Structure formats: C-alpha cells, structure tokens
Amino acid sequence: MGIYTAGKMVYNISDNLCISGGHEVKEMKKKILFIVNPRSGKGQIRGKLLDIIDIFQKGGYEVVVHPTQGSGDAGKVARENAGEVDLLVCSGGDGTLDEVVSGLMQAETAVPLGYIPSGSTNDFANSLRISKNMIQAARDIMEGSVFACDVGEFNSDYFVYIAAFGLFTDVSYETDQHMKNLLGHLAYLLEAGKRIFNVPTYWLKVDGGDRKFQGEFIYGMVTNTRFVGGMKNIAGKEVELNDGLFEVTLIHPPKNPLELNDVITSLLSGESKSKLIENFKTNRICFESMEEIAWTLDGECGGSHTYVRIESRKQALQMVVGPEKE
C-alpha cells in the first residue's frame, strides 16, 4: 500500500493516519460503499446483511449501504460515488455486477470492487472462485487481494464477462424475476423451451483482426469467463481473465439433428470439434449485419444493433478475491 498526498495532507492507506505538517492528527476510517440488490436470489441478502456489515466494520471500515431502487440504479450510484470511497462492494446477480462495473468504468476510477453473489447463476463469481456463502464472501473481501481482470467495451457500453446474440440470449431478462427466485436454473430452461422450434438466423460480417469472414449464424458470444449459464468450459478450456483476450464462439445453423448433436457435444466438452463452430481469441472484434440484432450483456438487455465493436480493456477492473483464489 502506498501514501497519497493532497497539499499538506498525507494519507497512508496501510495505517489510516492523517498527517499534517509532519504531526499525527487523527485516525481516518476507511469507507465502503455497499450496493445491495435486495430482490436478487430470493432476497437471501436480507437475512445476512447485519452480519456482513459487522464483518466490514470489524475490518476497519465505515459502511454506507445502498439498496438498489430499480434498473440502472446500481450503475448510477457506483458512477457518482466511487471516487469518494476506499472500497466498493456489491451484492446481487450478474446483472447487478454488470451495472456496477459499467458505473466504475464510466467514472474512470481504480477503486477496488468486492462482490458477494446472490443471483441465480453467478458465472463471473464462479470464474473467480468467489464463495457462494455470502458470509464467507464478505470475509474474503476483508482478507483477500486485488486481482486485475479484463472488461469488455461494447460500443459505448461495458460488460464484465459475456456479450451474446441469438439463440436463447433473451431468456435471462425475459424470464419473470419471481420464477427465477423460485426455480433458479429451471426457470431459464422453461422459458428457453418455448422457442426451441423457432430459431432465427442472422447474416453477419465478422472482423476479428486476423480472422475475417461472413456467414449465417444462430448464436454468438464474446466472453471472458470460465462459466456460461452455470456450465464450465463452454467458451474453451484455456481461459485467462486478465490476458486482454476474448474467447469468441459463433455457431452456424445445423441442418439436421446429427449436426445439432455435434454442436452440443463440442460445446459441452469445451473443444471446438464441430465444423459449425467458429472459435478463436482476439482483443477486438466487429460485427456488421443488414438487420438489427438484439444483444445481451452479462445476461441483461444490451439493445439492438446493426454494428457492434467490442474491445478488451485489459486489466481495467480491480476485483477483490479471497486468499489464494487466483
């Protein structure tokens, strides 16, 4: 930890002493902004909130808690307040994390971020091996270290671990929240099952730097994660979250059940053996289409676009992970 100066005031992060003119004045307490989505994951945070606050206070922090007030609120609060705190912590699902990270990127601040997952899937938390036990996750934030991981820039927006289009990508945000809370993964499967026999295709021109091609696709994802939809290795087995590279997976439409089975087998094995799957790594990729295509960012609606430019912001996010997590 270093020493930050502002005029004659010196603040040493390691011991929290404020010094003026070479003399100790008083101890300054560090501050946490704790952004909580109280509706995420059956609202389980409500029964643990006081215990989590107590852990943070015992860790030497003054805690400011903000329950989110609706869509977009977490990002707004993070953007407006990140520069005023020493540590930002959020609790919710991947959508809440996405909002907070987007707010941090817009604020252009390097304040560390802790994450207490409470959603239905929590793919990014699984990738970082963040504990599913909320109390343990809070302890790990106090005892852990900072891991600098990549962030995706999507046109004028951001995503933490996945930008996707096509088959079933709208399921996560069209599935009723009450169903998510009651049924978890089953809710997504029920919603997906409604449209299995009506799969649209998209003609795309793809520029991935060294890889340029065009064709028809039913699904595409640009990822920085070891888990997608709770399943491991779908994006590949050699995934590093801080290498500045995305894993790109694009699927051409299968013409018969055998080809569909081949695609599914390849995805579940983490090895791109199917001729219908385009799979490669890049730090930048552009998509062009004749029609608007709906995208999701970290499982939330990312809007419809005819042109998308995605770039990796290498090691732009300072995530707090538990001891020996990375």
Side-chain angles (χ1 to χ4, degrees):
M1 296 296 188
I3 296 177
Y4 292 80
T5 62
K8 293 183 179 179
M9 304 298 287
V10 180
Y11 179 45
N12 190 321
I13 294 179
S14 62
D15 55 19
N16 304 322
L17 295 180
C18 181
I19 304 169
S20 179
H23 299 284
E24 178 182 326
V25 177
K26 64 176 181 177
E27 182 175 351
M28 294 180 65
K29 203 165 190 179
K30 296 175 290 185
K31 182 181 287 188
I32 283 179
L33 172 59
F34 186 21
I35 299 175
V36 179
N37 182 346
R39 295 167 295 281
S40 177
K42 305 179 184 178
Q44 58 180 308
I45 185 68
R46 297 174 187 176
K48 299 176 174 63
L49 186 58
L50 292 179
D51 290 332
I52 292 171
I53 292 173
D54 185 59
I55 290 170
F56 292 161
Q57 288 183 326
K58 283 183 170 61
Y61 286 89
E62 174 187 346
V63 185
V64 177
V65 181
H66 179 87
T68 58
Q69 301 301 300
S71 178
D73 185 55
K76 178 176 180 290
V77 171
R79 181 177 65 253
E80 294 178 352
N81 296 278
E84 308 299 321
V85 299
D86 302 284
L87 176 62
L88 200 155
V89 178
C90 69
S91 179
D94 290 331
T96 302
L97 178 65
D98 174 86
E99 282 193 28
V100 170
V101 171
S102 294
L104 288 177
M105 296 297 292
Q106 292 162 6
E108 297 183 348
T109 177
V111 62
L113 174 64
Y115 182 37
I116 300 177
S118 64
S120 303
T121 305
N122 304 310
D123 285 324
F124 193 66
N126 289 334
S127 294
L128 286 174
R129 296 190 288 277
I130 293 174
S131 177
K132 296 178 182 179
N133 181 303
M134 300 174 79
I135 301 299
Q136 185 59 51
R139 292 195 186 104
D140 287 344
I141 291 171
M142 292 293 94
E143 300 169 1
S145 58
V146 173
F147 172 68
C149 57
D150 304 335
V151 174
E153 185 171 358
F154 179 98
N155 289 349
S156 59
D157 207 341
Y158 299 93
F159 64 94
V160 182
Y161 73 98
I162 182 170
F165 71 87
L167 183 66
F168 304 149
T169 52
D170 60 342
V171 167
S172 62
Y173 60 82
E174 287 193 359
T175 303
D176 180 78
Q177 183 63 49
H178 181 64
M179 283 185 64
K180 290 183 188 179
N181 291 343
L182 287 176
L183 303 176
H185 282 55
L186 179 58
Y188 295 111
L189 295 177
L190 291 174
E191 185 67 27
K194 296 177 184 177
R195 53 206 69 187
I196 187 68
F197 298 110
N198 185 26
V199 179
T201 60
Y202 307 93
W203 185 269
L204 286 169
K205 184 177 180 181
V206 182
D207 180 354
D210 293 336
R211 296 284 298 273
K212 296 180 176 66
F213 53 90
Q214 55 186 332
E216 196 174 23
F217 303 93
I218 61 170
Y219 178 78
M221 62 181 181
V222 180
T223 60
N224 187 46
T225 179
R226 299 181 181 111
F227 291 82
V228 176
M231 293 177 284
K232 192 174 182 180
N233 295 330
I234 284 184
K237 292 183 178 180
E238 297 181 4
V239 176
E240 298 294 336
L241 305 184
N242 61 349
D243 61 358
L245 297 174
F246 296 119
E247 283 67 43
V248 179
T249 304
L250 299 168
I251 302 176
H252 295 281
K255 296 182 178 64
N256 53 60
L258 287 177
E259 289 187 347
L260 176 60
N261 182 70
D262 189 35
V263 168
I264 294 172
T265 300
S266 294
L267 291 173
L268 293 179
S269 68
E271 298 176 0
S272 182
K273 296 180 179 179
S274 171
K275 63 181 182 180
L276 297 178
I277 298 177
E278 307 278 355
N279 189 272
F280 58 96
K281 293 175 182 282
T282 184
N283 65 348
R284 177 196 62 82
I285 189 167
C286 298
F287 298 90
E288 291 184 66
S289 61
M290 296 296 292
E291 60 179 320
E292 288 195 337
I293 297 177
W295 286 76
T296 64
L297 304 180
D298 299 328
E300 302 296 316
C301 181
S304 296
H305 310 270
T306 57
Y307 178 80
V308 166
R309 179 183 176 89
I310 298 175
E311 291 191 57
S312 175
R313 297 282 294 271
K314 186 176 181 179
Q315 300 181 11
L317 178 61
Q318 308 296 309
M319 285 293 299
V320 183
V321 296
E324 299 181 2
K325 299 292 181 183
E326 280 291 334

